Amino acid sequence: IVLTCSGEIFYKDMLLKNGIEVVQIDLKPRFHNISNIWKAYTFIKQTKPDVIHCWLYLGNLFGLLFALLTKNKLIWSHHQAHVSYQNNTLKTYITILLCKYFSHRSDITHVFVSRLSFVEHRRIGFNTTNYKIIPNGVDTDIFKPNPATGTYHNLSDHIKFRQKEFVVGCVS
């Protein structure tokens, strides 16, 4: 299930064609969206996910709220490396500072998509004790169709997942 906290999503048709439910709830910060926040909370409470995985700073704040209310595990993804005031709007920078403040909660796992993103977030005061750096992207020389056999490399063959391994996938 994909819950998007904005209006339309680019991959909605593709997700639906592949049997993935898409729930769209507009959570942009406007007063009249309080009912939409309730809808998102109710949706998460009913679907009972194992993990709430968020990205973008506003999504991280909403994810924190929902995780606190539902007692879910929480992952914040950090995709941005330019976290200074000069590189953001005032509203985004204030949101980054709020995330920095709440990042010190021990129940949040932080995922950075690059070493630079990790370094920059640490530089401005984000908690970096409970984190993983998972580089954004794949080696396309390894993971590509094999014209000789008409097959694809199986990612799980390279990673060696255990049978009961808990895996979180995120496409963003």
mmCIF file of all heavy atoms in Angstrom, residues 9-47:
data_model
loop_
_atom_site.group_PDB
_atom_site.id
_atom_site.type_symbol
_atom_site.label_atom_id
_atom_site.label_comp_id
_atom_site.label_asym_id
_atom_site.label_seq_id
_atom_site.Cartn_x
_atom_site.Cartn_y
_atom_site.Cartn_z
ATOM 1 N N ILE A 9 0.117 11.623 -7.824
ATOM 2 C CA ILE A 9 1.451 11.042 -7.841
ATOM 3 C C ILE A 9 1.743 10.525 -9.241
ATOM 4 O O ILE A 9 0.874 9.981 -9.915
ATOM 5 C CB ILE A 9 1.651 9.952 -6.775
ATOM 6 C CG1 ILE A 9 0.687 8.784 -6.971
ATOM 7 C CG2 ILE A 9 1.521 10.511 -5.391
ATOM 8 C CD1 ILE A 9 1.025 7.601 -6.097
ATOM 9 N N PHE A 10 2.960 10.696 -9.655
ATOM 10 C CA PHE A 10 3.396 10.401 -11.012
ATOM 11 C C PHE A 10 3.196 8.931 -11.381
ATOM 12 O O PHE A 10 2.771 8.603 -12.481
ATOM 13 C CB PHE A 10 4.869 10.806 -11.160
ATOM 14 C CG PHE A 10 5.409 10.638 -12.547
ATOM 15 C CD1 PHE A 10 5.107 11.559 -13.532
ATOM 16 C CD2 PHE A 10 6.212 9.553 -12.859
ATOM 17 C CE1 PHE A 10 5.607 11.405 -14.817
ATOM 18 C CE2 PHE A 10 6.714 9.390 -14.134
ATOM 19 C CZ PHE A 10 6.407 10.328 -15.120
ATOM 20 N N TYR A 11 3.486 8.021 -10.476
ATOM 21 C CA TYR A 11 3.465 6.589 -10.775
ATOM 22 C C TYR A 11 2.151 5.904 -10.388
ATOM 23 O O TYR A 11 2.078 4.675 -10.360
ATOM 24 C CB TYR A 11 4.622 5.878 -10.081
ATOM 25 C CG TYR A 11 5.960 6.280 -10.632
ATOM 26 C CD1 TYR A 11 6.802 7.135 -9.931
ATOM 27 C CD2 TYR A 11 6.382 5.815 -11.873
ATOM 28 C CE1 TYR A 11 8.030 7.502 -10.452
ATOM 29 C CE2 TYR A 11 7.605 6.180 -12.400
ATOM 30 C CZ TYR A 11 8.420 7.025 -11.683
ATOM 31 O OH TYR A 11 9.627 7.390 -12.200
ATOM 32 N N LYS A 12 1.115 6.663 -10.114
ATOM 33 C CA LYS A 12 -0.133 6.078 -9.632
ATOM 34 C C LYS A 12 -0.669 5.000 -10.578
ATOM 35 O O LYS A 12 -0.994 3.889 -10.138
ATOM 36 C CB LYS A 12 -1.187 7.157 -9.425
ATOM 37 C CG LYS A 12 -2.503 6.601 -8.919
ATOM 38 C CD LYS A 12 -3.526 7.681 -8.724
ATOM 39 C CE LYS A 12 -4.841 7.100 -8.241
ATOM 40 N NZ LYS A 12 -5.854 8.129 -8.081
ATOM 41 N N ASP A 13 -0.784 5.278 -11.874
ATOM 42 C CA ASP A 13 -1.331 4.303 -12.818
ATOM 43 C C ASP A 13 -0.503 3.022 -12.847
ATOM 44 O O ASP A 13 -1.047 1.917 -12.860
ATOM 45 C CB ASP A 13 -1.428 4.901 -14.225
ATOM 46 C CG ASP A 13 -2.497 5.986 -14.311
ATOM 47 O OD1 ASP A 13 -3.415 5.978 -13.457
ATOM 48 O OD2 ASP A 13 -2.416 6.823 -15.225
ATOM 49 N N MET A 14 0.824 3.168 -12.844
ATOM 50 C CA MET A 14 1.691 2.002 -12.862
ATOM 51 C C MET A 14 1.514 1.172 -11.587
ATOM 52 O O MET A 14 1.442 -0.052 -11.639
ATOM 53 C CB MET A 14 3.162 2.416 -13.003
ATOM 54 C CG MET A 14 4.092 1.234 -13.176
ATOM 55 S SD MET A 14 5.549 1.081 -12.124
ATOM 56 C CE MET A 14 5.476 2.253 -10.868
ATOM 57 N N LEU A 15 1.422 1.834 -10.445
ATOM 58 C CA LEU A 15 1.229 1.122 -9.191
ATOM 59 C C LEU A 15 -0.093 0.367 -9.197
ATOM 60 O O LEU A 15 -0.149 -0.809 -8.831
ATOM 61 C CB LEU A 15 1.282 2.098 -8.011
ATOM 62 C CG LEU A 15 2.634 2.734 -7.718
ATOM 63 C CD1 LEU A 15 2.484 3.893 -6.742
ATOM 64 C CD2 LEU A 15 3.614 1.713 -7.183
ATOM 65 N N LEU A 16 -1.162 1.029 -9.629
ATOM 66 C CA LEU A 16 -2.475 0.390 -9.669
ATOM 67 C C LEU A 16 -2.483 -0.815 -10.614
ATOM 68 O O LEU A 16 -3.058 -1.858 -10.295
ATOM 69 C CB LEU A 16 -3.548 1.400 -10.078
ATOM 70 C CG LEU A 16 -3.831 2.509 -9.061
ATOM 71 C CD1 LEU A 16 -4.752 3.571 -9.662
ATOM 72 C CD2 LEU A 16 -4.438 1.934 -7.793
ATOM 73 N N LYS A 17 -1.855 -0.679 -11.775
ATOM 74 C CA LYS A 17 -1.793 -1.791 -12.741
ATOM 75 C C LYS A 17 -1.063 -2.999 -12.161
ATOM 76 O O LYS A 17 -1.304 -4.128 -12.564
ATOM 77 C CB LYS A 17 -1.082 -1.348 -14.024
ATOM 78 C CG LYS A 17 -1.934 -0.499 -14.916
ATOM 79 C CD LYS A 17 -1.160 -0.082 -16.155
ATOM 80 C CE LYS A 17 -1.939 0.973 -16.912
ATOM 81 N NZ LYS A 17 -1.151 1.551 -18.014
ATOM 82 N N ASN A 18 -0.166 -2.761 -11.210
ATOM 83 C CA ASN A 18 0.582 -3.843 -10.579
ATOM 84 C C ASN A 18 -0.044 -4.317 -9.273
ATOM 85 O O ASN A 18 0.597 -4.995 -8.477
ATOM 86 C CB ASN A 18 2.038 -3.414 -10.354
ATOM 87 C CG ASN A 18 2.803 -3.400 -11.662
ATOM 88 O OD1 ASN A 18 3.094 -4.462 -12.202
ATOM 89 N ND2 ASN A 18 3.092 -2.231 -12.182
ATOM 90 N N GLY A 19 -1.299 -3.928 -9.052
ATOM 91 C CA GLY A 19 -2.031 -4.413 -7.892
ATOM 92 C C GLY A 19 -1.667 -3.756 -6.580
ATOM 93 O O GLY A 19 -1.949 -4.290 -5.518
ATOM 94 N N ILE A 20 -1.037 -2.594 -6.654
ATOM 95 C CA ILE A 20 -0.643 -1.888 -5.434
ATOM 96 C C ILE A 20 -1.668 -0.790 -5.164
ATOM 97 O O ILE A 20 -1.915 0.066 -6.011
ATOM 98 C CB ILE A 20 0.771 -1.293 -5.573
ATOM 99 C CG1 ILE A 20 1.776 -2.428 -5.794
ATOM 100 C CG2 ILE A 20 1.125 -0.442 -4.350
ATOM 101 C CD1 ILE A 20 3.153 -1.967 -6.192
ATOM 102 N N GLU A 21 -2.259 -0.846 -3.989
ATOM 103 C CA GLU A 21 -3.262 0.149 -3.611
ATOM 104 C C GLU A 21 -2.584 1.498 -3.381
ATOM 105 O O GLU A 21 -1.528 1.576 -2.766
ATOM 106 C CB GLU A 21 -3.972 -0.308 -2.335
ATOM 107 C CG GLU A 21 -5.071 0.632 -1.893
ATOM 108 C CD GLU A 21 -5.756 0.180 -0.618
ATOM 109 O OE1 GLU A 21 -5.473 -0.939 -0.131
ATOM 110 O OE2 GLU A 21 -6.566 0.957 -0.100
ATOM 111 N N VAL A 22 -3.207 2.562 -3.895
ATOM 112 C CA VAL A 22 -2.686 3.913 -3.720
ATOM 113 C C VAL A 22 -3.755 4.735 -3.011
ATOM 114 O O VAL A 22 -4.890 4.829 -3.477
ATOM 115 C CB VAL A 22 -2.341 4.570 -5.073
ATOM 116 C CG1 VAL A 22 -1.870 6.001 -4.868
ATOM 117 C CG2 VAL A 22 -1.282 3.752 -5.805
ATOM 118 N N VAL A 23 -3.375 5.296 -1.881
ATOM 119 C CA VAL A 23 -4.280 6.147 -1.120
ATOM 120 C C VAL A 23 -3.695 7.549 -1.128
ATOM 121 O O VAL A 23 -2.550 7.747 -0.733
ATOM 122 C CB VAL A 23 -4.447 5.635 0.330
ATOM 123 C CG1 VAL A 23 -5.324 6.569 1.129
ATOM 124 C CG2 VAL A 23 -4.995 4.217 0.331
ATOM 125 N N GLN A 24 -4.476 8.504 -1.604
ATOM 126 C CA GLN A 24 -4.009 9.890 -1.692
ATOM 127 C C GLN A 24 -4.749 10.733 -0.663
ATOM 128 O O GLN A 24 -5.973 10.783 -0.659
ATOM 129 C CB GLN A 24 -4.276 10.439 -3.091
ATOM 130 C CG GLN A 24 -3.466 9.749 -4.156
ATOM 131 C CD GLN A 24 -3.863 10.202 -5.543
ATOM 132 O OE1 GLN A 24 -4.522 9.461 -6.243
ATOM 133 N NE2 GLN A 24 -3.477 11.399 -5.914
ATOM 134 N N ILE A 25 -3.983 11.355 0.213
ATOM 135 C CA ILE A 25 -4.542 12.240 1.226
ATOM 136 C C ILE A 25 -3.689 13.499 1.234
ATOM 137 O O ILE A 25 -2.491 13.431 1.477
ATOM 138 C CB ILE A 25 -4.562 11.586 2.624
ATOM 139 C CG1 ILE A 25 -5.400 10.294 2.586
ATOM 140 C CG2 ILE A 25 -5.093 12.564 3.655
ATOM 141 C CD1 ILE A 25 -5.370 9.506 3.874
ATOM 142 N N ASP A 26 -4.302 14.625 0.949
ATOM 143 C CA ASP A 26 -3.576 15.897 0.885
ATOM 144 C C ASP A 26 -3.265 16.375 2.295
ATOM 145 O O ASP A 26 -4.160 16.728 3.047
ATOM 146 C CB ASP A 26 -4.415 16.932 0.133
ATOM 147 C CG ASP A 26 -3.708 18.269 -0.023
ATOM 148 O OD1 ASP A 26 -2.526 18.374 0.371
ATOM 149 O OD2 ASP A 26 -4.321 19.201 -0.548
ATOM 150 N N LEU A 27 -1.986 16.374 2.665
ATOM 151 C CA LEU A 27 -1.585 16.829 4.004
ATOM 152 C C LEU A 27 -0.791 18.127 3.958
ATOM 153 O O LEU A 27 -0.072 18.448 4.891
ATOM 154 C CB LEU A 27 -0.767 15.749 4.706
ATOM 155 C CG LEU A 27 -1.518 14.485 5.089
ATOM 156 C CD1 LEU A 27 -0.600 13.520 5.833
ATOM 157 C CD2 LEU A 27 -2.735 14.797 5.937
ATOM 158 N N LYS A 28 -0.913 18.862 2.862
ATOM 159 C CA LYS A 28 -0.220 20.145 2.829
ATOM 160 C C LYS A 28 -0.736 20.997 3.981
ATOM 161 O O LYS A 28 -1.922 20.973 4.299
ATOM 162 C CB LYS A 28 -0.445 20.820 1.483
ATOM 163 C CG LYS A 28 0.257 20.068 0.362
ATOM 164 C CD LYS A 28 0.113 20.776 -0.945
ATOM 165 C CE LYS A 28 0.851 19.976 -1.997
ATOM 166 N NZ LYS A 28 0.199 19.984 -3.272
ATOM 167 N N PRO A 29 0.153 21.749 4.605
ATOM 168 C CA PRO A 29 -0.237 22.458 5.835
ATOM 169 C C PRO A 29 -1.226 23.606 5.581
ATOM 170 O O PRO A 29 -0.844 24.713 5.267
ATOM 171 C CB PRO A 29 1.090 22.971 6.402
ATOM 172 C CG PRO A 29 2.020 23.000 5.245
ATOM 173 C CD PRO A 29 1.552 21.956 4.282
ATOM 174 N N ARG A 30 -2.488 23.265 5.691
ATOM 175 C CA ARG A 30 -3.566 24.251 5.632
ATOM 176 C C ARG A 30 -4.555 23.863 6.720
ATOM 177 O O ARG A 30 -4.748 22.683 6.999
ATOM 178 C CB ARG A 30 -4.246 24.234 4.260
ATOM 179 C CG ARG A 30 -3.343 24.713 3.136
ATOM 180 C CD ARG A 30 -4.114 24.750 1.832
ATOM 181 N NE ARG A 30 -4.366 23.426 1.313
ATOM 182 C CZ ARG A 30 -3.623 22.827 0.385
ATOM 183 N NH1 ARG A 30 -2.586 23.433 -0.133
ATOM 184 N NH2 ARG A 30 -3.934 21.628 -0.040
ATOM 185 N N PHE A 31 -5.204 24.823 7.282
ATOM 186 C CA PHE A 31 -6.081 24.561 8.419
ATOM 187 C C PHE A 31 -7.169 23.545 8.074
ATOM 188 O O PHE A 31 -7.484 22.665 8.857
ATOM 189 C CB PHE A 31 -6.707 25.857 8.927
ATOM 190 C CG PHE A 31 -7.600 25.642 10.116
ATOM 191 C CD1 PHE A 31 -7.048 25.360 11.353
ATOM 192 C CD2 PHE A 31 -8.972 25.675 9.980
ATOM 193 C CE1 PHE A 31 -7.855 25.135 12.451
ATOM 194 C CE2 PHE A 31 -9.792 25.444 11.069
ATOM 195 C CZ PHE A 31 -9.225 25.181 12.310
ATOM 196 N N HIS A 32 -7.738 23.648 6.873
ATOM 197 C CA HIS A 32 -8.845 22.752 6.530
ATOM 198 C C HIS A 32 -8.401 21.300 6.315
ATOM 199 O O HIS A 32 -9.228 20.425 6.118
ATOM 200 C CB HIS A 32 -9.596 23.263 5.291
ATOM 201 C CG HIS A 32 -8.812 23.178 4.027
ATOM 202 N ND1 HIS A 32 -7.934 24.152 3.637
ATOM 203 C CD2 HIS A 32 -8.767 22.221 3.086
ATOM 204 C CE1 HIS A 32 -7.381 23.801 2.489
ATOM 205 N NE2 HIS A 32 -7.875 22.638 2.134
ATOM 206 N N ASN A 33 -7.121 21.038 6.399
ATOM 207 C CA ASN A 33 -6.639 19.673 6.209
ATOM 208 C C ASN A 33 -6.584 18.865 7.496
ATOM 209 O O ASN A 33 -6.087 17.747 7.497
ATOM 210 C CB ASN A 33 -5.274 19.682 5.533
ATOM 211 C CG ASN A 33 -5.404 19.898 4.052
ATOM 212 O OD1 ASN A 33 -6.467 19.701 3.482
ATOM 213 N ND2 ASN A 33 -4.331 20.304 3.415
ATOM 214 N N ILE A 34 -7.106 19.404 8.579
ATOM 215 C CA ILE A 34 -7.130 18.646 9.833
ATOM 216 C C ILE A 34 -7.907 17.349 9.643
ATOM 217 O O ILE A 34 -7.500 16.297 10.126
ATOM 218 C CB ILE A 34 -7.708 19.496 10.988
ATOM 219 C CG1 ILE A 34 -6.721 20.612 11.319
ATOM 220 C CG2 ILE A 34 -8.015 18.641 12.204
ATOM 221 C CD1 ILE A 34 -7.199 21.618 12.319
ATOM 222 N N SER A 35 -8.995 17.387 8.869
ATOM 223 C CA SER A 35 -9.755 16.154 8.621
ATOM 224 C C SER A 35 -8.926 15.162 7.806
ATOM 225 O O SER A 35 -9.050 13.950 7.987
ATOM 226 C CB SER A 35 -11.083 16.460 7.921
ATOM 227 O OG SER A 35 -10.856 16.957 6.619
ATOM 228 N N ASN A 36 -8.064 15.657 6.914
ATOM 229 C CA ASN A 36 -7.204 14.754 6.140
ATOM 230 C C ASN A 36 -6.122 14.120 6.998
ATOM 231 O O ASN A 36 -5.725 12.980 6.762
ATOM 232 C CB ASN A 36 -6.581 15.490 4.952
ATOM 233 C CG ASN A 36 -7.598 15.771 3.871
ATOM 234 O OD1 ASN A 36 -8.711 15.231 3.882
ATOM 235 N ND2 ASN A 36 -7.255 16.621 2.932
ATOM 236 N N ILE A 37 -5.636 14.852 7.989
ATOM 237 C CA ILE A 37 -4.675 14.275 8.939
ATOM 238 C C ILE A 37 -5.352 13.116 9.685
ATOM 239 O O ILE A 37 -4.762 12.049 9.858
ATOM 240 C CB ILE A 37 -4.137 15.345 9.905
ATOM 241 C CG1 ILE A 37 -3.305 16.373 9.125
ATOM 242 C CG2 ILE A 37 -3.334 14.718 11.037
ATOM 243 C CD1 ILE A 37 -2.931 17.602 9.922
ATOM 244 N N TRP A 38 -6.596 13.319 10.073
ATOM 245 C CA TRP A 38 -7.352 12.266 10.748
ATOM 246 C C TRP A 38 -7.533 11.056 9.821
ATOM 247 O O TRP A 38 -7.401 9.914 10.236
ATOM 248 C CB TRP A 38 -8.700 12.796 11.228
ATOM 249 C CG TRP A 38 -9.511 11.738 11.913
ATOM 250 C CD1 TRP A 38 -10.597 11.080 11.422
ATOM 251 C CD2 TRP A 38 -9.270 11.190 13.208
ATOM 252 N NE1 TRP A 38 -11.046 10.156 12.321
ATOM 253 C CE2 TRP A 38 -10.250 10.213 13.438
ATOM 254 C CE3 TRP A 38 -8.317 11.439 14.192
ATOM 255 C CZ2 TRP A 38 -10.312 9.468 14.607
ATOM 256 C CZ3 TRP A 38 -8.386 10.700 15.371
ATOM 257 C CH2 TRP A 38 -9.371 9.736 15.563
ATOM 258 N N LYS A 39 -7.827 11.315 8.542
ATOM 259 C CA LYS A 39 -7.987 10.223 7.570
ATOM 260 C C LYS A 39 -6.689 9.419 7.437
ATOM 261 O O LYS A 39 -6.708 8.193 7.384
ATOM 262 C CB LYS A 39 -8.381 10.768 6.198
ATOM 263 C CG LYS A 39 -9.800 11.229 6.091
ATOM 264 C CD LYS A 39 -10.050 11.781 4.682
ATOM 265 C CE LYS A 39 -11.325 12.559 4.619
ATOM 266 N NZ LYS A 39 -11.521 13.215 3.322
ATOM 267 N N ALA A 40 -5.564 10.116 7.371
ATOM 268 C CA ALA A 40 -4.274 9.433 7.247
ATOM 269 C C ALA A 40 -3.996 8.597 8.495
ATOM 270 O O ALA A 40 -3.570 7.439 8.398
ATOM 271 C CB ALA A 40 -3.147 10.438 7.004
ATOM 272 N N TYR A 41 -4.236 9.173 9.660
ATOM 273 C CA TYR A 41 -4.038 8.444 10.916
ATOM 274 C C TYR A 41 -4.927 7.201 10.964
ATOM 275 O O TYR A 41 -4.462 6.101 11.288
ATOM 276 C CB TYR A 41 -4.333 9.354 12.110
ATOM 277 C CG TYR A 41 -4.555 8.603 13.394
ATOM 278 C CD1 TYR A 41 -3.495 7.980 14.046
ATOM 279 C CD2 TYR A 41 -5.836 8.475 13.931
ATOM 280 C CE1 TYR A 41 -3.697 7.267 15.218
ATOM 281 C CE2 TYR A 41 -6.044 7.763 15.102
ATOM 282 C CZ TYR A 41 -4.982 7.162 15.736
ATOM 283 O OH TYR A 41 -5.188 6.449 16.882
ATOM 284 N N THR A 42 -6.191 7.356 10.611
ATOM 285 C CA THR A 42 -7.132 6.240 10.620
ATOM 286 C C THR A 42 -6.687 5.150 9.646
ATOM 287 O O THR A 42 -6.737 3.958 9.959
ATOM 288 C CB THR A 42 -8.552 6.735 10.264
ATOM 289 O OG1 THR A 42 -8.923 7.744 11.202
ATOM 290 C CG2 THR A 42 -9.562 5.610 10.312
ATOM 291 N N PHE A 43 -6.220 5.567 8.479
ATOM 292 C CA PHE A 43 -5.747 4.609 7.477
ATOM 293 C C PHE A 43 -4.570 3.800 8.022
ATOM 294 O O PHE A 43 -4.534 2.573 7.913
ATOM 295 C CB PHE A 43 -5.341 5.345 6.198
ATOM 296 C CG PHE A 43 -4.698 4.459 5.185
ATOM 297 C CD1 PHE A 43 -5.466 3.639 4.387
ATOM 298 C CD2 PHE A 43 -3.322 4.432 5.046
ATOM 299 C CE1 PHE A 43 -4.869 2.798 3.455
ATOM 300 C CE2 PHE A 43 -2.712 3.605 4.123
ATOM 301 C CZ PHE A 43 -3.497 2.782 3.327
ATOM 302 N N ILE A 44 -3.607 4.478 8.632
ATOM 303 C CA ILE A 44 -2.431 3.790 9.181
ATOM 304 C C ILE A 44 -2.840 2.867 10.321
ATOM 305 O O ILE A 44 -2.379 1.729 10.418
ATOM 306 C CB ILE A 44 -1.362 4.813 9.620
ATOM 307 C CG1 ILE A 44 -0.782 5.504 8.377
ATOM 308 C CG2 ILE A 44 -0.263 4.148 10.435
ATOM 309 C CD1 ILE A 44 0.068 6.714 8.683
ATOM 310 N N LYS A 45 -3.728 3.328 11.166
ATOM 311 C CA LYS A 45 -4.183 2.503 12.292
ATOM 312 C C LYS A 45 -4.900 1.248 11.800
ATOM 313 O O LYS A 45 -4.706 0.161 12.339
ATOM 314 C CB LYS A 45 -5.090 3.329 13.191
ATOM 315 C CG LYS A 45 -5.391 2.673 14.519
ATOM 316 C CD LYS A 45 -5.983 3.677 15.466
ATOM 317 C CE LYS A 45 -6.442 3.050 16.745
ATOM 318 N NZ LYS A 45 -5.405 2.751 17.674
ATOM 319 N N GLN A 46 -5.698 1.376 10.726
ATOM 320 C CA GLN A 46 -6.443 0.225 10.203
ATOM 321 C C GLN A 46 -5.545 -0.761 9.448
ATOM 322 O O GLN A 46 -5.729 -1.967 9.551
ATOM 323 C CB GLN A 46 -7.566 0.696 9.280
ATOM 324 C CG GLN A 46 -8.697 1.366 10.011
ATOM 325 C CD GLN A 46 -9.712 1.988 9.076
ATOM 326 O OE1 GLN A 46 -9.483 2.126 7.875
ATOM 327 N NE2 GLN A 46 -10.844 2.396 9.636
ATOM 328 N N THR A 47 -4.576 -0.253 8.695
ATOM 329 C CA THR A 47 -3.735 -1.150 7.890
ATOM 330 C C THR A 47 -2.612 -1.785 8.694
ATOM 331 O O THR A 47 -2.038 -2.778 8.269
ATOM 332 C CB THR A 47 -3.134 -0.412 6.678
ATOM 333 O OG1 THR A 47 -2.400 0.729 7.131
ATOM 334 C CG2 THR A 47 -4.217 0.022 5.707
#
